Amino acid sequence: MKIAIVGTGYVGLVTGTCFSEMGIDVTCVDVQESKIKSLKKGIIPIYEPGLEDMVHRNYTAGRLKFATDLEECLDEVEVV
Ligand SMILES: NC(=O)c1ccc[n+]([C@@H]2O[C@H](COP(=O)([O-])OP(=O)(O)OC[C@H]3O[C@@H](n4cnc5c(N)ncnc54)[C@H](O)[C@@H]3O)[C@@H](O)[C@H]2O)c1
């Protein structure tokens, strides 16, 4: 299943990462380009125990993606 999550703050990043850990293909979208650039480099903007490892693992596996344009991924996902 492919889903998109809007916002990569405390709620969106944690939720999206946990879904990807469950094997779901997740694109996390945020309007802040700098935040998305950092996430793609593995820099996590918040602290939650275990989150950094989980983001790295799922990003590397290709199950977790980061983007700034929600419209661009709408054709690919079933749920936003
Ligand atoms: N954090 C909590 O415990 C909590 C509890 C209940 C409700 N909420 C609600 O959940 C929502 C998210 O909370 P949070 O703590 O993750 O906030 P946050 O500020 O940490 O993250 C929100 C993210 O959404 C992004 N964003 C804003 N508008 C956007 C748009 N149009 N498209 C894409 N990205 C966009 C922001 O750039 C930011 O990175 C808020 O509405 C908040 O009120 C949060």
Side-chain angles (χ1 to χ4, degrees), residues 5-13 29-32 35 46 68 70:
I5 300 268
V6 181
T8 59
Y10 286 94
V11 175
L13 184 60
V29 181
D30 203 289
V31 285
Q32 288 184 54
K35 207 172 197 180
I46 56 170
T68 51
L70 177 63

Side-chain angles (χ1 to χ4, degrees), residues 13-28 39-40 44 50-66:
L13 184 60
V14 172
T15 306
T17 304
C18 288
F19 275 128
S20 69
E21 182 76 5
M22 293 163 66
I24 292 171
D25 194 327
V26 181
T27 302
C28 285
L39 281 163
K40 285 179 176 176
I44 313 300
L51 182 65
E52 192 168 336
D53 284 349
M54 221 185 266
V55 169
H56 291 172
R57 182 163 59 245
N58 288 288
Y59 182 72
T60 306
R63 278 188 302 272
L64 182 61
K65 300 181 187 89
F66 299 105

